[in-house]
Each structure stands twice: as structure tokens, then as C-alpha cells.
Amino acid sequence: MRASRLLSLLLLLQTRGRMTATELAEELEVSVRTVYRDVEALSSSGVPVYADRGPAGGYRLLDGYRTRLNGLTAAEASSLFLAGMPGPAAELGLGEVAANAELKLLAALPPEPRSQATMMRERFHLDVPGWYRGADDVPHLAEVAEAVWDQRPLRMRYRRWGRQEVDRVIHPYGLVLKGGSWYMVAAPPGGDPRTYRVSRILAMETLQGRFERPPGFELAEFWQAYAKDFRQKMYTTEAVIRFEPGAESLLEYTLSMPVPMPEPDLDGWRTVTVPIESVRHARWLLLRMGASVEVLAPAELRDLMRQSVADLCKIYQS
């Protein structure tokens, strides 16, 4: 346990540079006193760890010091190959780089981890796009990725949801792959970040100069907050429905969300309240389930379902 913690401490100092004892304690989830003891143990073993005094002080490694750490466990090595998705890497223009990195990692591993890593690649495959839809066509993705990496501003022509085309100058902060679609998180100069679907970029030009990322901006945190806010705005109301026995999986698939399972009534049907985008969108979704579901509320949605069924009867009775 302590050996693993010492290794983690060494990696933290090697990758992040100077860190205070408090920062190390928070990362390692130990007390500051434990950090003091661990730093002393590293120093005693010959690792050049130095303490800088003063308000901006902390622990750091001797400039230029690097350690070769090949102590990957079999599970750790296997997880790296599971995380490497060749499709997205190729879309970003990094397909050859990713393949070369995989070969080098395999060559550096001892026999047992190498064998398990190969088995992982042979037995697991990540297919990002959802069923019944392919990945977006993203001809500008590699150029966007390069601008994100180099912190270069972009001028683009973009098609909004209403098919309106607009021109924008933006600072691209990052890229997110969600459900087979690439999204760019970017902001106009001096503005707040927002998201753009990369497949909707019609034309693009990389501009001269570099921009500075906002202090403290974290892509993962922004996306998590954005996704939560998007979901809350998307589901604006609720519907009360009842569904027949055995339709649980079909209902969850239709609504693309988990559905609560209350106690069934005497006929085996269950009544639940589910969030919906709108009554018209819910009508389109629930009609897929035919007679396996009944809408109880709101009245507007129930009337729409009744009208749709009447229209279907007219079509098929003619």
C-alpha cells in the first residue's frame, strides 16, 4: 500500500511540478503528516525531492529528473487498450499516432501484462454511435482538433438548428464525443463558452495568433453541467401513463431512460409518471408501443393519442 502511494507521489511531482504538502495530501487522500514521512522516504532512497520555502513554496523534483516507470499491472495495461478507440482517433487525425503508441506500449510490457492486453483487444470493442444511425460526417474535425491543441482562433460558417447559417469567430476550448457525434466547446472572444455540433460547420478558417484559455476552465466539468442543464430544459413537462405486463423494457427503450416500477394493479398494469419534451413529441414516441401503453394525463396528450388512433383507423379501414 505504501509503495503504491510513494509511486503516486513521485508521479504527481513529475507530471505537475511543484506541489504543496496540502495539495499532495488531498490528491493522495492522506494526512499532511503522512506526506512529510513519504517525502522523507523518497529522499532517503535517492530520489531528488526538494522543498522550497515561502508562500509559493512546496515540494518539487530536481530539474530534469525523470524516472522510467514500467510497473503497470496486467489490469492497468489492459484498460489502456480498452480505452483506445481507433475510430475517433482516426477522425481526429491521430490514427497512425495511436497505432504507433499501442505498438510501443505492447513492446514495453512484460509477457503477462502483454498477453492480457492482447486478450482485451481481441475480446472487447467499443462502437460509439447508437443503433440505427451512423456517425456524423465531420470533414472539419481534424482542423478543429488542431486549433484546440494550438489554442488558435477560428472563423466558421455554422448551420444552426433552424437551418439558419451564421458566421462566428470563436476560441475553441475542447472537443467532446457524445453518442457518435462530435461537439466543440468554444466561446466568442470575451464571451461565455457554448457548444457547437462539429458536423454543422459548413466552412472554417484558422486565424493567426493564439488565445488564452480562461483560468480554471475544465472541459469535463463544463460538459457535465451543460448536459445536466440540457436535460432539464429538454424535459419541460410530465405524462402519466400505464403499461401492460412485459412492456417494461420496450418502454425504457422507447423513452431512452430508466422507468420506475411501482406495484402492478390487479390486471398487472403499472402506472408511472415520466418526463417528456412536449405532448407532441410524447405522442410520436408512445404511438410506437401501440396498445401496450395508455396515456392518463395530461388531457392534451390523451386527446392527441385518441385523434392519432382515429386517423389510423380511417387509413386502414379504407
Side-chain angles (χ1 to χ4, degrees):
M1 179 68 177
R2 191 189 184 199
S4 175
R5 191 176 67 244
L6 290 175
L7 180 58
S8 297
L9 193 155
L10 179 56
L11 286 172
L12 283 169
L13 293 178
Q14 182 169 305
T15 56
R16 300 191 187 180
R18 183 184 290 108
M19 295 183 69
T20 66
T22 301
E23 291 171 339
L24 288 167
E26 291 176 353
E27 287 286 344
L28 299 172
E29 298 182 348
V30 297
S31 67
V32 173
R33 186 178 295 274
T34 299
V35 170
Y36 291 151
R37 290 197 297 264
D38 288 349
V39 169
E40 183 177 354
L42 285 175
S43 182
S44 299
S45 65
V47 176
V49 183
Y50 291 90
D52 294 328
R53 307 294 180 184
Y59 291 109
R60 65 181 180 87
L61 296 173
L62 181 67
D63 290 343
Y65 177 81
R66 289 290 184 272
T67 181
R68 296 183 63 186
L69 299 171
N70 296 321
L72 283 175
T73 67
E76 290 168 344
S78 299
S79 69
L80 292 178
F81 287 93
L82 183 60
M85 296 181 288
E91 290 178 346
L92 289 168
L94 300 174
E96 184 177 352
V97 175
N100 289 338
E102 181 178 322
L103 288 174
K104 290 178 180 178
L105 178 58
L106 276 174
L109 290 173
E112 182 182 354
R114 184 190 309 139
S115 173
Q116 292 201 21
T118 302
M119 290 172 60
M120 177 71 76
R121 184 175 55 184
E122 292 172 347
R123 287 162 171 75
F124 295 94
H125 174 69
L126 300 179
D127 186 11
V128 178
W131 289 105
Y132 310 117
R133 62 181 294 266
D136 287 345
D137 183 19
V138 283
H140 300 289
L141 180 61
E143 191 175 354
V144 171
E146 186 175 355
V148 168
W149 185 258
D150 294 336
Q151 295 181 214
R152 299 280 298 277
L154 296 173
R155 177 183 288 114
M156 68 175 182
R157 186 156 189 80
Y158 186 77
R159 187 178 70 249
R160 303 175 67 176
W161 285 106
R163 305 196 69 81
Q164 177 189 7
E165 296 183 8
V166 295
D167 293 310
R168 293 283 187 270
V169 173
I170 55 170
H171 293 168
Y173 296 156
L175 284 165
V176 176
L177 179 62
K178 173 69 172 179
S181 298
W182 285 98
Y183 295 87
M184 172 177 58
V185 177
D192 296 326
R194 56 174 300 179
T195 62
Y196 300 87
R197 192 158 175 166
V198 178
S199 62
R200 293 181 175 270
I201 298 177
L202 304 176
M204 197 180 71
E205 175 189 2
T206 303
L207 303 179
Q208 296 296 318
R210 299 178 76 251
F211 64 86
E212 293 298 324
R213 293 170 63 86
F217 177 82
E218 293 288 344
L219 180 61
E221 291 180 5
F222 171 86
W223 183 261
Q224 185 177 17
Y226 167 80
K228 181 179 180 181
D229 182 65
F230 179 83
R231 187 175 182 86
Q232 289 175 344
K233 290 180 179 178
M234 181 173 65
Y235 295 110
T236 57
T237 186
E238 293 180 329
V240 181
I241 60 176
R242 61 190 296 263
F243 56 94
E244 68 177 2
E248 297 86 356
S249 298
L250 178 59
L251 181 61
E252 290 189 339
Y253 177 79
T254 300
L255 299 178
S256 299
M257 67 177 67
V259 175
M261 294 297 158
E263 289 297 319
D265 59 21
L266 295 178
D267 297 324
W269 287 58
R270 302 176 192 267
T271 300
V272 296
T273 301
V274 294
I276 58 174
E277 293 185 37
S278 66
V279 292
R280 294 191 176 276
H281 184 259
R283 183 265 307 264
W284 175 74
L285 287 178
L286 296 174
L287 279 174
R288 298 178 179 182
M289 298 190 62
S292 296
V293 65
E294 178 189 4
V295 173
L296 303 178
E300 182 183 1
L301 176 57
R302 186 175 176 88
D303 290 342
L304 281 175
M305 296 290 288
R306 183 186 297 111
Q307 184 60 50
S308 297
V309 172
D311 292 341
L312 285 171
C313 288
K314 293 178 182 178
I315 293 174
Y316 287 103
Q317 286 179 352
S318 60

